[in-house]
Amino acid sequence: MSGVLFSGGRLIDPALGHDGPADVLVRDGRVAGVGQGLDAAGAEVIDCAGLVVTPGFVDLHVHLREPGREDAETIETGSRAAALGGFTAVCPMPNTDPPADNAGVVEMVAARGREVGLVDLFPVGAVTVARQGTALAELGAMARSAAAVDTFSDDGSPIREAKLLRRALEYARAFDAVIADHCEDVTLTGGAQMHEGELSGLLGLRGWPAAAEDMIVARDLLLAELTGGRLHLCHLSTAGAVELVRSAKARGVRVTAEVTPHHLSLTDQALADYDPVFKVNPPLRGKADVEALRAGLADGTIDAIATDHAPHAREAKEVELAQAPPGMLGLETALAVVLTDLVEEGWLTMAQAVERLTAGPARCRRVPGHGGPVEAGAPANLTVFDPSAPWTVRPEALASRSRNTPFAGRELRGRVVHTMLRGNFSVRDGAIGRLIDVREGASR
């Protein structure tokens, strides 16, 4: 009888509250057993001594650029990056061309993900037609489609009209869907290049004030409370936003929130040399904001770590700061940044870090079969990583089609060894089989 036994590892399964030694046996695409001394007859035994075994990671917020911007990323290259980062499920955002505001586009994205077969794609549909903020998109049709969309966002384009957001929250309640908002008052951020603070003044750059985020977070929370709808807040970046969410959760508001690895590890000081790779929306904030985000992640105010993986072609980023689009790569470095900057520095335990990458995001939207638990009968969607393995981030070695990582040249600790999707290795021994460099047409 064939199968795989992950032997001698530390199993962290937040969904079941397990953190300790355990073997995991996989047969026929599912977990066949969890424990010690399992009968591995006929199974390949993989030694996981010194390694951590977890449910596959879930990313609520990625930009795979297909359709429309395949020069920056494709579903295939983005899926490779995700698998190498330990992710078995990712949620592509709808700011494609054409936008994912109808059943046809979201079904195409989901189908292309199945063709590639490295990660499961759970598309996010647009809230409004063409993400223009004037009329609701076909939310019901996308929810009933083969893609079964249950989360909607105009990400990058905040829902400006409170009345429209209220209608979306009320309508989405009919199928228990989530409205995810990018919180930005654009009347305060026009022409902004970075966080508004002392450094923006010294550099002579127009700033993006924290109040522009906090005001919309407060509005959205009030509307979620009014409607009883499910609200998700994308990529929080300010101390004020964290406190607003903390208070709303205490009142019973149905809200979840995410934070990116770059907002947890970098500050606005990274822009001191005007390097466009560090331009992102929302912008990198000050040290006090970073610490508030870390504390909010630790105490559960923030539910999930989401990469906001935003690839851009080299020529788009290698321009003056004002002309460069915002966005950073994140899929392949997420785990290592969290382990290096949060776990090693004592902000999170290892178990908390895993929870915010697995069960936490799985609470925010429906991702069947992902996020745990790791138990007999469950799909074998698993990640195995070495928590202490050092490696240096080299943009040219990343699987993404783009190179705009803010961590280039930095040594991090923590590397994915294996990723398994429904019992098949999408990553084995740190590499994807048959990995073809689509930029040069050569095997890697």
Side-chain angles (χ1 to χ4, degrees):
M1 188 176 185
S2 62
V4 173
L5 179 71
F6 295 101
S7 174
R10 172 186 176 184
L11 174 64
I12 300 180
D13 181 7
L16 293 179
H18 179 92
D19 181 1
D23 301 338
V24 178
L25 179 63
V26 174
R27 295 192 193 276
D28 300 321
R30 294 188 174 272
V31 176
V34 178
Q36 294 180 295
L38 298 179
D39 180 6
E44 177 187 3
V45 178
I46 295 179
D47 183 6
C48 293
L51 305 181
V52 178
V53 182
T54 75
F57 301 160
V58 177
D59 194 341
L60 296 170
H61 193 141
V62 301
H63 300 272
L64 300 185
R65 303 304 189 203
E66 186 179 348
R69 288 306 307 269
E70 289 84 354
D71 59 322
E73 193 77 286
T74 65
I75 288 172
E76 183 173 3
T77 58
S79 293
R80 291 171 181 167
L84 288 165
F87 294 92
T88 57
V90 300
C91 304
M93 300 305 283
N95 58 336
T96 51
D97 184 13
D101 63 355
N102 62 80
V105 176
V106 295
E107 287 179 351
M108 182 278 290
V109 170
R112 180 65 182 130
R114 289 192 296 272
E115 289 176 4
V116 172
L118 293 173
V119 295
D120 283 345
L121 268 54
F122 295 89
V124 177
V127 176
T128 67
V129 175
R131 300 173 50 251
Q132 294 298 307
T134 56
L136 287 183
E138 301 171 354
L139 309 189
M142 287 187 277
R144 294 188 298 270
S145 72
V149 176
D150 80 319
T151 301
F152 302 91
S153 178
D154 280 357
D155 179 58
S157 300
I159 302 173
R160 298 180 65 170
E161 291 190 10
K163 181 179 180 180
L164 188 62
L165 177 58
R166 176 181 180 172
R167 286 177 56 204
L169 286 163
E170 290 173 337
Y171 183 32
R173 284 188 62 189
F175 34 93
D176 195 33
V178 179
I179 302 298
D181 201 17
H182 166 100
C183 295
E184 175 186 357
D185 185 331
V186 296
T187 65
L188 294 176
T189 62
Q193 303 301 314
M194 65 176 297
H195 170 62
E196 182 177 294
E198 182 180 352
L199 185 60
S200 65
L202 290 172
L203 297 178
L205 296 174
R206 183 169 297 180
W208 203 116
E213 179 171 321
D214 299 348
M215 291 166 62
I216 303 303
V217 168
R219 180 204 69 171
D220 288 7
L221 291 169
L222 289 171
L223 289 173
E225 191 167 21
L226 173 67
T227 63
R230 293 181 62 190
L231 173 69
H232 181 76
L233 299 175
C234 298
H235 42 48
L236 294 187
S237 71
T238 70
V242 174
E243 188 52 44
L244 287 164
V245 173
R246 183 179 286 117
S247 176
K249 284 192 169 186
R251 300 196 308 273
V253 178
R254 300 178 73 194
V255 59
T256 54
E258 69 188 37
V259 64
T260 72
H262 51 265
H263 286 113
L264 291 166
S265 60
L266 302 172
T267 71
D268 58 344
Q269 296 295 319
L271 274 158
D273 292 329
Y274 300 90
D275 187 343
V277 77
F278 295 103
K279 182 179 178 180
V280 67
N281 187 9
L284 301 176
R285 302 286 186 184
K287 181 180 178 181
D289 293 300
V290 171
E291 292 184 350
L293 292 167
R294 292 176 172 187
L297 189 65
D299 69 19
T301 298
I302 300 174
D303 302 85
I305 297 167
T307 66
D308 194 8
H309 177 80
H312 290 290
R314 179 171 294 176
E315 60 270 20
K317 273 291 194 179
E318 292 182 352
V319 294
E320 291 185 4
L321 188 65
Q323 279 71 53
M328 303 171 170
L329 300 183
L331 284 167
E332 293 175 74
T333 54
L335 171 67
V337 170
V338 171
L339 294 181
T340 304
D341 289 347
L342 280 81
V343 174
E344 289 192 8
E345 292 187 15
W347 290 92
L348 296 178
T349 65
M350 182 76 74
Q352 286 176 316
V354 170
E355 199 277 342
R356 305 308 189 261
L357 288 163
T358 58
R363 284 196 307 272
C364 298
R365 67 166 298 181
R366 291 189 289 273
V367 284
H370 296 273
V374 180
E375 61 184 359
N381 300 322
L382 302 168
T383 298
V384 181
F385 64 88
D386 184 338
S388 58
W391 62 288
T392 301
V393 180
R394 303 192 188 285
E396 67 278 6
L398 298 177
S400 173
R401 200 166 195 179
S402 295
R403 295 288 171 260
N404 55 308
T405 172
F407 302 107
R410 184 173 174 198
E411 183 175 291
L412 301 171
R413 283 167 301 284
R415 193 109 200 221
V416 171
V417 180
H418 309 296
T419 308
M420 178 172 273
L421 181 67
R422 286 185 294 281
N424 295 311
F425 284 100
S426 53
V427 170
R428 180 152 188 176
D429 296 323
I432 293 177
R434 291 188 309 103
L435 186 56
I436 303 300
D437 191 329
V438 296
R439 290 160 296 140
E440 300 177 4
S443 297
R444 292 176 58 189

